[in-house]
Amino acid sequence: QVHLVESGGGSAQAGGTLRLSCAASGYIPHDYCVGWFRQAPGKKREWVTTTTNFGRTYVTDSVKGRFTASLDIAKNTLSLEMIRLKPEDTAMYYCAADSAAFVRGDNCYTSADVYGYWGQGTQVTVSS
């Protein structure tokens, strides 16, 4: 079992910066993916970033150049730094992890259905 706890988030003005963290505890398997998903009211949960345990990160196009994910293996913590925030970034942000999401070749599945472990979510609100 993997337990994920998000922190950070909150409110920001458009153009501002927020930082999220996801702390993992429990059994951490070899070769896994950990990532961020978000869900705005009335919309489907969408993939934002994924990072393999080797540190390779993938980012969805809508946040490329603005969001940076980093994995601290020693602390079992995944961070997400979000700069130049936009109102459309407003959503509940979830941390997710699973070894089933890891793809040979240091890649990750981006479908939320593949991830079996989820945090409780943290709200990000960006005002214009």
Side-chain angles (χ1 to χ4, degrees):
Q1 287 285 341
V2 178
H3 186 54
L4 303 172
V5 178
E6 300 102 334
S7 60
S11 299
Q13 295 282 333
T17 299
L18 287 173
R19 185 179 179 89
L20 308 181
S21 291
C22 174
S25 60
Y27 173 67
I28 308 295
H30 293 289
D31 295 347
Y32 61 88
C33 289
V34 58
W36 293 96
F37 291 78
R38 66 185 181 185
Q39 188 167 18
K43 294 188 176 181
K44 293 176 64 174
R45 190 168 296 189
E46 67 169 340
W47 166 67
V48 180
T49 76
T50 46
T51 301
T52 71
N53 57 298
F54 299 104
R56 188 164 185 177
T57 296
Y58 300 86
V59 182
T60 194
D61 287 346
S62 63
V63 306
K64 200 166 289 183
R66 300 189 298 118
F67 288 15
T68 303
S70 58
L71 180 62
D72 186 330
I73 295 289
K75 296 181 179 179
N76 287 333
T77 299
L78 176 71
S79 299
L80 181 66
E81 183 176 28
M82 306 180 292
I83 67 172
R84 300 200 306 272
L85 284 163
K86 302 177 180 180
E88 51 263 43
D89 295 321
T90 295
M92 185 71 81
Y93 283 69
Y94 298 90
C95 176
D98 209 306
S99 58
F102 184 84
V103 180
R104 290 179 66 180
D106 203 15
N107 206 332
C108 297
Y109 289 112
T110 59
S111 171
D113 293 341
V114 180
Y115 292 78
Y117 301 101
W118 292 83
Q120 79 286 356
T122 185
Q123 179 68 37
V124 170
T125 302
V126 183
S127 56
S128 57

